[in-house]
């Protein structure tokens, strides 16, 4: 959900492609789409403008995102339902909204620019700020609590699995030693500890060495992957015949989960070698993208934060009897 906010306005990632992919599913008389990661509402605003009969359900766990998007989408207030919740609660949100069947779903994953750019949120290693990293500021778990209370083994697992950090054991070990001297409460101190734990030869390449650790902590604090694991299948289950889902991922873990979820729904699960395919085992979905699509060079020039974006999409082609 890497959005730019400033004098140039909000720049939603791969907007034209998102609109193009979702359009066929939203051509009916009263389509419903869920934006599972509302953010600053850029994609949602464009969808509402393009489809005058559309009802949009927007979900976000960040109260600022809900507040901002409520203002931004006020011209379409009679066609929007905005909910402060985790995307992992998507099934419950649709049920409570009385919209169990939908025509489209959009997932714009990751972290938004206000979260990155507001130092006090503690997401970025480029600012000295309290270690927070909560998308939902009402929750109790913070990055500071993770760093100062998790065991060495738990920290190493998070850094390895969520940050794909080669030196997870070294970083975790140094965190444990440093927090024994004094609690680690600032982004700068944590970034310095990570830098000291990474071998000098490795530090000279690949950008800021704290990037992977900060990503891992953010994913842990906000349960991002478990939310996606719950939300994407729920959205696929809710799609009507001809309904479409579009997913924008920003790191390999999100993209891998997305690929696995979509691939599982597009396979024939019947025994191999049957002369006649069994209807019960036929795919319910078809892929709309060949692999993961990347942003164009033109978009990257306009919106550098789109560089890590990967887009996948699928369409429901069968419904269960």
């Amino acid at each position: 959900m890497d959005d730019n906010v400033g004098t140039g306005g909000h720049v939603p990632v791969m907007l034209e492609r998102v609109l193009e992919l979702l359009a066929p599913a939203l051509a009916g008389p009263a389509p419903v789409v869920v934006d599972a990661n509302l953010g600053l509402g850029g994609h949602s605003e464009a969808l509402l403008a393009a489809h005058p009969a559309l009802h949009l359900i927007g979900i976000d766990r960040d109260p600022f995102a809900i507040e901002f998007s409520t203002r931004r989408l006020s011209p379409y207030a009679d066609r929007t339902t905005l909910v402060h919740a985790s995307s992992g609660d998507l099934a419950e949100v649709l049920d409570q909204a009385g919209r169990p069947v939908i025509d489209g779903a959009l997932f714009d994953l990751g972290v938004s620019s206000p979260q990155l750019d507001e130092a006090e949120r503690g997401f970025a290693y480029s600012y000295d700020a309290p270690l927070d990293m909560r998308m939902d500021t009402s929750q109790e778990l913070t990055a500071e609590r993770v760093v100062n209370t998790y065991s060495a083994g738990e920290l190493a697992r998070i850094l390895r699995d969520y940050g794909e950090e080669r030196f997870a054991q070294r970083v975790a070990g140094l965190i444990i030693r440093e927090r024994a001297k004094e609690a680690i409460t600032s982004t700068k101190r944590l970034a310095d500890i990570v830098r000291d734990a990474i071998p000098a030869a490795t530090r000279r390449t690949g950008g800021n060495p704290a990037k992977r650790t900060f990503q891992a902590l953010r994913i842990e604090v906000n349960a991002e992957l478990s939310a996606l694991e719950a939300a994407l299948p729920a959205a696929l289950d809710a799609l009507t015949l001809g309904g479409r889902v579009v997913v924008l991922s920003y790191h390999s873990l999100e993209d891998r989960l997305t690929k696995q979820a979509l691939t599982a729904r597009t396979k024939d699960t019947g025994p191999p070698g049957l002369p006649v395919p069994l209807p019960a085992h036929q795919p319910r979905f078809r892929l709309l993208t060949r692999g993961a699509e990347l942003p164009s060079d033109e978009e990257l020039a306009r919106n550098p934060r789109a560089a890590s974006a990967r887009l996948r999409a699928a369409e429901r082609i069968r419904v269960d009897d």
Side-chain angles (χ1 to χ4, degrees):
M1 194 161 54
D2 284 309
D3 302 319
N4 283 347
V5 182
T7 56
H10 172 205
V11 184
V13 170
M14 299 182 74
L15 176 60
E16 291 181 5
R17 185 59 172 145
V18 168
L19 293 176
E20 178 185 17
L21 284 165
L22 287 175
L26 307 181
V32 177
V33 68
V34 59
D35 186 342
N37 311 96
L38 180 63
L40 298 179
H43 289 104
S44 288
E45 181 181 46
L47 285 165
L48 288 160
H51 302 279
L54 176 68
H55 188 91
L56 182 131
I57 300 171
I59 304 172
D60 206 290
R61 64 188 308 166
D62 188 338
F64 172 83
I66 296 296
E67 178 186 348
F68 185 95
S69 291
T70 297
R71 295 195 304 269
R72 179 176 194 153
L73 303 179
S74 59
Y76 311 100
D78 60 333
R79 296 195 283 124
T80 60
T81 302
L82 305 186
V83 183
H84 177 220
S86 166
S87 61
D89 300 324
L90 186 144
E92 292 83 354
V93 169
L94 293 182
D95 184 61
Q96 291 173 7
R99 307 277 187 168
V101 178
I102 60 175
D103 300 278
L106 172 63
F107 289 81
D108 187 14
L109 306 170
V111 60
S112 65
S113 285
Q115 292 165 342
L116 286 172
D117 296 339
E118 293 178 15
E120 64 272 15
R121 300 296 295 271
F123 283 95
Y125 43 79
S126 53
Y127 304 106
D128 188 17
L131 266 178
D132 194 318
M133 300 194 194
R134 293 173 297 172
M135 292 181 181
D136 183 351
T137 52
S138 68
Q139 75 175 44
E140 292 185 5
L141 185 64
T142 65
E144 179 181 336
R145 178 175 293 189
V146 172
V147 166
N148 289 287
T149 65
Y150 279 27
S151 68
E154 289 173 320
L155 287 172
R157 176 188 60 79
I158 291 167
L159 299 179
R160 181 182 62 250
D161 293 350
Y162 296 164
E164 300 178 295
E165 173 56 73
R166 284 192 301 153
F167 303 101
Q169 293 283 0
R170 290 179 59 146
V171 174
L174 190 54
I175 286 174
I176 296 294
R177 291 196 296 275
E178 288 298 314
R179 80 186 193 190
K181 303 174 186 176
E182 184 180 2
I184 302 168
T185 60
S186 76
T187 55
K188 183 180 185 303
R189 187 175 175 215
L190 178 60
D192 289 344
I193 291 169
V194 175
R195 186 189 64 247
D196 291 344
I198 302 296
T202 303
R203 292 202 303 264
R204 288 193 283 269
T205 60
N208 194 307
K211 178 179 180 179
R212 292 178 294 276
T213 293
F214 274 63
Q215 172 182 294
L217 290 172
R218 191 197 82 217
I219 291 173
E220 170 69 11
V221 168
N222 297 290
E224 292 178 36
L225 296 182
S226 60
L228 179 60
E229 287 175 327
L232 184 51
L236 294 172
D237 289 342
L239 284 174
T240 189
L241 185 65
R244 293 185 168 200
V245 61
V246 176
V247 183
L248 285 162
S249 305
Y250 296 91
H251 60 70
S252 61
L253 300 175
E254 294 171 339
D255 186 52
R256 189 179 309 143
L257 282 175
T258 300
K259 179 181 178 181
Q260 291 170 349
L262 297 184
T263 299
R265 303 285 184 121
T266 56
K267 283 185 175 180
D268 185 330
T269 59
L274 290 179
V276 179
L278 299 174
H281 294 279
Q282 289 294 288
R284 266 49 181 170
F285 288 81
R286 72 179 180 98
L287 296 176
L288 298 171
T289 54
R290 182 174 296 179
E293 294 187 3
L294 309 180
S296 65
D297 291 340
E298 179 183 353
E299 172 152 12
L300 292 177
R302 183 176 69 251
N303 185 12
R305 282 183 174 169
S308 58
R310 302 291 183 269
L311 182 149
R312 296 181 187 269
E315 178 184 25
R316 181 181 276 277
I317 57 173
R318 292 175 65 89
V319 294
D320 296 324
D321 297 329

